């Protein structure tokens, strides 16, 4: 019985790690390391908050609320589940995350070996495999957890261990302050999309746990939480290692792309074999994430349309849209992604954190509604600032909101909103 439970934890935990660990997770940390240099530890801590701790909190928020994202959204309002869920699924699905997995696989895993190959062919092969493995949702977790992830982890462990034991250079002095380095790591964690993905992936993992016989609330919660802890441990090692490799890479070229930096680090660490290792890492990391996200998109919109659009049709449609956008290239997708993520992230983080912290003791919906309303207002202001709609005097005024200039302006207003909602409830009673 214990062996069976251990095997299930390993399968679910490795599957969850692989779902989270995709294109951005491999490309972003090394560049953070280059930019923060000697402030590496502060940036790693900040990136860990948005890239590890908050995604785990997202899983907990769904586990505490029910079986999927709809149950989480319904804790506040049924319409929220549909609206916010749709925005999240579009972002982590065909608009940003899935195209980025294909583009990254081509630039890091294929282009170094076949420099003249058209990216269209690379994307066609990538998405053909994605459809083949995502079309049967019941097999997604087992395929990822039992076969693909162990290979990925071994390759990453080899690359990071060799890089730590034989660093290319010493830490570069950082031009950023400690707070700027923290903000850099925290905001770059948005680009992983993992907080958004966590509230969706939780439903996949919970469904897989139920299929394995963990049907009552206690055993289901226990197996999912233990699996989540396993995945976060793996992520902590990988993120910390990759940021360290970037900080000790000695790279001074300001125009180097994220993909080029990762290739350079791999070559310096493992020589020619480093290119092969990183190509395999990228292929496995991106495929597992693409499969999981495509499956999640098909499941979510299938439920949203009450089955009017079948899972298979949605999977094919998602794949076609992702294929069209993937040809743009990694850096263009990442640059395009930041404004919509800067809007949706504060709202999602507020929902996740407040449900986990207060969901069991605060039964009223009012405090959660006001907290989300405050975060949404700040998110809109932040989006308008990013898009250049405000002049310098307006930006200067907005920067008086605590942490607004570091793109964390939603923190204090959400606390005030939650407290205001509690006060309204008290007055009503």
């Amino acid at each position: 019985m214990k062996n069976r439970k251990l095997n299930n934890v390993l399968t679910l935990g490795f599957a969850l790690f692989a779902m989270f660990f995709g294109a951005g997770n491999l490309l972003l940390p090394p560049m953070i390391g280059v930019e923060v240099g000697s402030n590496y530890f502060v940036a790693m801590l900040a990136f860990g908050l948005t890239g590890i701790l908050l995604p785990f909190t997202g899983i907990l928020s769904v586990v505490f609320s029910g079986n999927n994202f709809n149950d989480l959204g319904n804790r506040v309002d049924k319409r929220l589940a549909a609206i916010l869920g749709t925005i999240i699924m579009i972002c982590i699905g065909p608009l940003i995350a899935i195209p980025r997995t294909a583009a990254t696989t081509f630039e890091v895993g294929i282009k170094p070996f076949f420099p003249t190959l058209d990216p269209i062919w690379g994307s066609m092969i990538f998405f053909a495999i994605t459809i083949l493995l995502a079309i049967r949702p019941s097999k997604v977790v087992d395929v990822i957890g039992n076969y693909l992830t162990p290979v990925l982890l071994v390759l990453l462990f080899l690359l990071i261990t060799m890089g730590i034991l034989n660093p290319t250079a010493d830490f570069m002095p950082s031009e950023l302050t400690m707070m700027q380095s923290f903000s850099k790591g925290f905001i770059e964690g948005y680009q992983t999309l993992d907080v958004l993905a966590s509230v969706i992936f939780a439903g996949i993992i919970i469904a897989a746990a139920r299929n394995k016989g963990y049907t009552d609330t206690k055993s289901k919660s226990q197996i999912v939480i233990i699996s989540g802890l396993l995945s976060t441990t793996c992520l902590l090692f990988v993120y910390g290692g990759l940021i360290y490799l970037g900080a000790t890479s000695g790279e001074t070229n300001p125009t180097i792309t994220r993909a080029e930096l990762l290739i350079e680090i791999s070559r310096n660490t493992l020589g020619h074999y480093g290119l092969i290792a990183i190509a395999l890492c990228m292929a496995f990391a991106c495929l597992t994430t693409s499969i999981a996200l495509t499956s999640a998109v098909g499941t979510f919109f299938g439920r949203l349309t009450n089955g009017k659009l079948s899972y298979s049709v949605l999977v094919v449609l998602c794949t076609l849209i992702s294929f069209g956008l993937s040809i743009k290239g990694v850096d263009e997708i990442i640059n395009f992604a930041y404004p919509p993520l800067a809007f949706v992230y504060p709202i999602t983080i507020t929902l996740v954190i407040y449900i986990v912290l207060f969901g069991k003791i605060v039964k009223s919906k009012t405090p959660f509604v006001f907290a989300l309303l405050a975060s949404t207002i700040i998110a809109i202001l932040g989006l308008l600032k990013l898009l250049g709609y405000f002049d310098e005097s307006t930006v200067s005024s907005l920067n008086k909101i605590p942490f607004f200039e570091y793109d964390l302006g939603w923190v204090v207003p959400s606390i005030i909103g939650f407290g205001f909602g509690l006060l309204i409830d008290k007055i009503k009673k």
Side-chain angles (χ1 to χ4, degrees):
M1 184 68 179
K2 288 184 178 180
N3 288 337
R4 175 176 171 271
K5 185 174 182 179
L6 177 60
N7 289 336
N8 289 334
V9 167
L10 292 174
T11 298
L12 296 176
F14 284 161
L16 193 55
F17 165 80
M19 289 177 186
F20 281 138
F21 194 79
N25 311 68
L26 198 49
L27 285 178
L28 294 169
M31 186 61 80
I32 294 173
V34 169
E35 294 178 356
V36 302
S38 55
N39 294 336
Y40 135 84
F41 186 77
V42 174
M44 184 186 76
L45 177 65
F47 190 79
L49 288 176
T50 44
I52 300 175
L53 183 60
L54 285 176
F56 182 61
T57 306
I59 293 170
L60 292 181
S61 68
V62 176
V63 171
F64 292 166
S65 302
N67 294 319
N68 53 53
F69 177 77
N70 286 335
D71 295 326
L72 172 62
N74 290 343
R75 290 291 305 272
V76 180
D77 188 276
K78 287 185 177 180
R79 290 166 293 184
L80 175 69
I83 296 172
L84 184 58
T86 298
I87 295 173
I88 289 173
M89 289 310 307
I90 290 174
C91 286
I92 69 171
L95 185 64
I96 300 171
I98 299 178
R100 191 174 67 185
T101 59
T104 306
T105 301
F106 176 77
E107 291 187 20
V108 179
I110 299 176
K111 190 175 180 180
F113 302 97
F114 304 98
T116 59
L117 183 67
D118 193 310
I120 291 179
W121 293 107
S123 290
M124 285 182 66
I125 296 170
F126 182 89
F127 284 115
I129 297 173
T130 296
I131 286 182
L132 183 65
L133 295 178
I135 208 72
R136 297 180 64 189
S138 62
K139 297 294 183 182
V140 167
V141 170
D142 286 343
V143 168
I144 292 175
N146 290 333
Y147 303 107
L148 300 182
T149 310
V151 177
L152 170 62
L153 279 172
V154 169
L155 292 170
L156 287 171
F157 180 82
L158 178 64
L159 175 66
I160 291 170
T161 302
M162 292 299 293
I164 292 174
L165 293 176
N166 301 290
T168 304
D170 293 328
F171 289 114
M172 294 288 289
S174 178
E175 297 180 358
L176 304 178
T177 65
M178 284 289 189
M179 189 60 197
Q180 288 172 331
S181 297
F182 184 90
S183 177
K184 177 69 179 177
F186 192 92
I187 300 304
E188 283 291 293
Y190 286 4
Q191 286 281 6
T192 67
L193 300 161
D194 283 349
V195 173
L196 305 185
S198 68
V199 295
I200 304 301
F201 287 162
I204 297 176
I205 295 298
I206 290 172
R210 289 166 63 88
N211 288 337
K212 293 181 182 298
Y214 302 95
T215 53
D216 63 281
T217 302
K218 183 179 179 180
S219 65
K220 176 197 71 177
S221 300
Q222 186 183 60
I223 196 75
V224 171
I225 290 173
I226 294 174
S227 302
L229 288 172
L230 174 61
S231 72
T232 56
T233 302
C234 295
L235 287 171
L236 180 62
F237 170 76
V238 173
Y239 288 156
L242 290 173
I243 293 175
Y244 179 88
L245 294 187
T248 57
S249 65
E251 184 57 57
T252 57
N253 179 8
T255 62
I256 192 169
T257 66
R258 293 172 176 86
E260 290 169 347
L261 174 63
L262 187 60
I263 292 170
E264 186 68 21
I265 289 173
S266 303
R267 185 185 289 115
N268 292 339
T269 303
L270 298 175
H272 176 71
Y273 294 106
L275 292 180
I276 299 174
I278 205 63
L280 291 172
C281 280
M282 187 57 67
F284 281 112
C286 292
L287 263 177
T288 51
T289 300
S290 178
I291 293 163
L293 289 175
T294 303
S295 176
V297 169
T299 302
F300 179 85
F301 286 110
R303 286 176 182 159
L304 191 65
T305 59
N306 293 319
K308 292 179 181 177
L309 290 175
S310 70
Y311 174 84
S312 300
V313 169
L314 287 164
V315 164
V316 173
L317 183 61
C318 174
T319 303
L320 290 175
I321 296 172
S322 301
F323 169 73
L325 293 175
S326 68
I327 303 169
K328 291 182 175 294
V330 175
D331 282 352
E332 186 174 342
I333 294 172
I334 289 177
N335 292 334
F336 158 78
Y338 186 66
L341 294 181
F343 169 73
V344 74
Y345 243 83
I347 303 169
T348 307
I349 291 175
T350 300
L351 174 64
V352 163
I353 290 178
Y354 283 89
I355 287 294
V356 170
L357 292 180
F358 306 110
K360 290 187 176 181
I361 57 176
V362 179
K363 301 302 179 183
S364 170
K365 295 182 178 181
T366 306
F368 299 104
V369 169
F370 275 97
L372 285 170
L373 182 62
S375 288
T376 302
I377 292 171
I378 297 299
I380 292 172
L381 292 174
L383 178 62
L384 293 175
K385 172 191 166 185
L386 280 174
L387 297 177
Y389 284 96
F390 295 141
D391 56 27
E392 289 186 10
S393 62
T394 304
V395 172
S396 179
S397 298
L398 289 172
N399 284 341
K400 294 178 181 178
I401 300 172
F403 311 120
F404 188 87
E405 62 181 309
Y406 301 109
D407 295 322
L408 299 171
W410 53 272
V411 175
V412 174
S414 71
I415 295 172
I416 295 172
F418 191 81
F420 185 68
L422 288 174
L423 182 62
I424 289 178
D425 272 348
K426 189 173 182 179
I427 292 172
K428 284 181 179 179
K429 290 178 181 178

